[in-house]
Amino acid sequence: MKLVPFATAHFPTLAGWFASERDAVQWGGPWVRFPLDAAQLDAMLAEGRTRPAKRLCWMAEKDGEPVGHVQLGWDWRNGIARVSRVAVAPHARGRGLAADMVALALDQAFDHPEIERAELEVYSFNAAAIRTYERLGFVREGVRRSSARVGTERWDTVMMALLCAERP
């Protein structure tokens, strides 16, 4: 598996992985609108063109085929990389690809000596993702109760982090 920079050519592929508002919000957070459109995705890319970058986005490829997406948000002042918007293509789920993809993103984060901490938020019902993050060394730090509204539902968000020195 390798990470390749997310580009406009990837927009239709990524957008096609989300069939509902629930799917899109689970991936991108409560600020994402369904269906995903070029304006939303281009805004993510624009954050990578700032100096220093505020966000970097990648597609994960295995054997030349897109199988996932992951992003890192940067808090350079505090030495924090925020893992976000992790998705595995529907046809590639259940093969352990998320762990490999997030590990590659963590390599990118911790290649910067000023980055001391990687953190993420995941919805509490996403047990498979939480297990994946825990296998990678992330520790639960708390829960933001009723932190996102999707339709008539309220979702809790689990906060997790990994310090550079704790990396397995």
Side-chain angles (χ1 to χ4, degrees):
M1 176 181 296
K2 69 178 182 175
L3 297 180
V4 298
F6 185 57
T8 55
H10 296 121
F11 288 6
T13 300
L14 181 63
W17 294 350
F18 308 108
S20 67
E21 177 189 18
R22 190 177 212 282
D23 292 345
V25 170
Q26 186 175 346
W27 167 74
W31 307 276
V32 172
R33 293 177 320 279
F34 179 79
L36 292 177
D37 58 29
Q40 293 178 83
L41 297 172
D42 193 53
M44 293 172 202
L45 287 180
E47 290 183 301
R49 293 189 288 268
T50 63
R51 294 291 172 245
K54 294 179 185 173
R55 173 182 307 276
L56 293 177
C57 310
W58 296 276
M59 289 297 275
E61 291 183 351
K62 188 169 178 78
D63 302 322
E65 175 186 13
V67 294
H69 180 89
V70 63
Q71 299 183 13
L72 286 177
W74 302 99
D75 175 351
W76 296 107
R77 181 173 189 264
N78 294 300
I80 298 170
R82 291 191 176 94
V83 178
S84 64
R85 297 184 172 142
V86 176
V88 175
H91 70 274
R93 292 181 184 150
R95 294 193 254 162
L97 299 176
D100 293 342
M101 182 174 55
V102 172
L104 289 171
L106 290 171
D107 290 343
Q108 295 281 334
F110 290 128
D111 275 351
H112 297 277
E114 62 268 48
I115 298 299
E116 164 62 21
R117 172 185 168 94
E119 61 187 29
L120 59 82
E121 294 183 359
V122 58
Y123 293 113
S124 61
F125 60 80
N126 195 343
I130 291 169
R131 282 191 306 273
T132 296
Y133 300 138
E134 287 174 337
R135 279 195 310 273
L136 290 168
F138 281 86
V139 175
R140 293 178 197 223
E141 293 187 329
V143 175
R144 293 176 55 228
R145 297 176 304 146
S146 194
S147 59
R149 183 177 59 200
V150 181
T152 60
E153 295 181 67
R154 299 293 307 197
W155 295 353
D156 295 345
T157 305
V158 177
M159 298 171 298
M160 303 180 80
L162 169 67
L163 301 181
C164 186
E166 297 171 339
R167 200 158 176 217

